[in-house]
Amino acid sequence: MSLLITGGAGYIGSHVVDLLEQRGERVVVLDDLSSGVADRLRAPLNRCDLAAPHAGFEVAAMMRAHHVTGVVHLAALKDVGESMADPESYWRVNVHGLGTLLSAMRTVGVRDLVFSSSAAVYGDADGAAVSEDGPCAPMNPYGESKLVGEWMLAAAARAWGLRYAALRYFNVAGSGSPELADRGRKNLIPIIIDEIRNGRSPQVFGTGHGTRDGSCVRDYVHVLDLANAHLDALDAICSGRFTGGAVNIGSGTGATVLEVVRAVGAELGTTVSPIVVEARAGDPAALVADVSRAADVLGWHPLLGLDRIVESAVAGTLATATA
């Protein structure tokens, strides 16, 4: 395969690129480097904003030049709070950017796509493990933009034969190696690590959610497990075993925010007293994946639990800080 990875210089994207290269695939990366880091990559990097005017011509030319046969689309904005404050940017980047990519794929004749979707499409699932057939009721513009993206893929499948997997990520964390560690501070575990290392108490957004300790319950999946899911999805699509639809990618178990805070503190060798603040608008109380479809249609299973997630996240952060 010859693969285009959009957002390939990002935290998740760089793990996907690394595994594909280890497998011997030809990879080219497209990234605007708004949050990606170029030195994570060995693969050729093309800097491009998919939502920019005339980006479609550039992407189509790139696909032709590299003889691209499939695409993994990870380039997107993904902060829930930011999406509530600035929804227009989420429509521009996440929706218009996907439209640009699909148009380029159709022009060049590339039919195979793995799409970075999100569990945010579900909204508040009230603690039950959610399946892909359950209702979608996103609570924020980020989740709405991902659901619209899935609708666009389904429409493209009907119109011109796109074959796709929309991977609905749950909470991604951990690191496959220090150089690929999450350098951002928008995901929960890196935020907690950063707060503790700087002598501050992590904030917990609400403890009145009706969960076992009142804080939000989330499903945490190791980034290496997630990256492997992309390879399994590509194989399933290219072989014709799976031609279209949504697939949950999570661990199938939930941990509360307070439990994660304690786990990070223990890994750092300290006791943590978090500060409880007001719950955020757009935050569901609980969201845990039913991952049976991933096993059935992709042959994918999560292998690394919360302990390995926290251990590798802390090791990656400390290595990056001392590099």
Side-chain angles (χ1 to χ4, degrees):
M1 288 185 283
S2 179
L3 300 164
L4 171 65
I5 316 299
T6 73
Y11 162 54
I12 296 172
S14 59
H15 282 86
V16 174
V17 169
D18 185 59
L19 290 185
L20 287 168
E21 289 180 325
Q22 288 182 38
R23 200 169 77 166
E25 308 291 0
R26 298 188 303 277
V27 177
V28 59
V29 170
L30 180 152
D31 202 299
D32 67 2
L33 298 183
S34 57
S35 59
V37 181
D39 64 13
R40 284 175 167 147
L41 299 171
R42 295 184 299 271
L45 170 64
N46 295 266
R47 190 166 184 176
C48 176
D49 176 1
L50 281 170
H54 311 299
F57 298 104
E58 185 177 343
V59 176
M62 185 191 315
M63 288 182 181
R64 290 190 182 101
H66 292 275
H67 307 289
V68 167
T69 58
V71 177
V72 178
H73 180 47
L74 301 112
L77 298 177
K78 63 167 293 290
D79 184 276
V80 168
E82 181 183 66
S83 79
M84 298 288 285
D86 184 15
E88 297 81 8
S89 290
Y90 279 70
W91 301 126
R92 185 186 75 84
V93 174
N94 294 3
V95 177
H96 178 61
L98 174 59
T100 297
L101 177 64
L102 289 173
S103 294
M105 290 177 65
R106 185 174 189 177
T107 297
V108 177
V110 176
R111 292 198 308 151
D112 296 340
L113 173 68
V114 177
F115 173 63
S116 166
S117 189
S118 171
V121 302
Y122 293 119
D124 194 342
D126 294 328
V130 293
S131 77
E132 296 86 349
D133 297 325
C136 290
M139 299 174 65
N140 50 69
Y142 166 62
E144 291 167 351
S145 73
K146 289 297 185 179
L147 185 56
V148 169
E150 292 189 15
W151 295 344
M152 293 167 69
L153 301 186
R158 293 189 296 268
W160 52 271
L162 178 74
R163 304 189 302 183
Y164 72 94
L167 303 185
R168 291 177 176 171
Y169 304 173
F170 281 66
N171 289 63
V172 186
S175 176
S177 62
E179 60 270 20
L180 301 183
D182 187 355
R183 304 186 194 182
R185 293 297 179 266
K186 292 188 176 181
N187 295 322
L188 176 64
I189 290 177
I191 290 172
I192 295 171
I193 295 169
D194 189 58
E195 293 291 277
I196 294 173
R197 291 185 63 245
N198 285 284
R200 298 186 293 263
S201 296
Q203 291 186 341
V204 173
F205 292 96
T207 53
H209 289 287
T211 61
R212 55 182 173 266
D213 60 21
S215 63
C216 289
V217 171
R218 294 292 182 267
D219 184 326
Y220 295 89
V221 58
H222 197 291
V223 67
L224 274 180
D225 282 336
L226 177 72
N228 273 304
H230 290 76
L231 275 64
D232 291 340
L234 281 167
D235 291 344
I237 293 168
C238 293
S239 69
R241 289 188 290 111
F242 186 66
T243 58
V247 183
N248 287 339
I249 303 297
S251 69
T253 60
T256 71
V257 173
L258 287 172
E259 289 167 350
V260 174
V261 169
R262 288 194 292 271
V264 174
E267 184 65 27
L268 288 168
T270 186
T271 301
V272 184
S273 298
I275 298 172
V276 178
V277 298
E278 186 177 357
R280 293 181 298 189
D283 255 355
L287 206 53
V288 178
D290 176 345
V291 293
S292 57
R293 181 176 293 179
D296 293 342
V297 302
L298 305 183
W300 176 86
H301 302 273
L303 301 176
L304 305 171
L306 184 62
D307 55 344
R308 290 287 301 278
I309 289 171
V310 171
E311 177 187 15
S312 63
V314 169
T317 299
L318 295 179
T320 301
T322 58

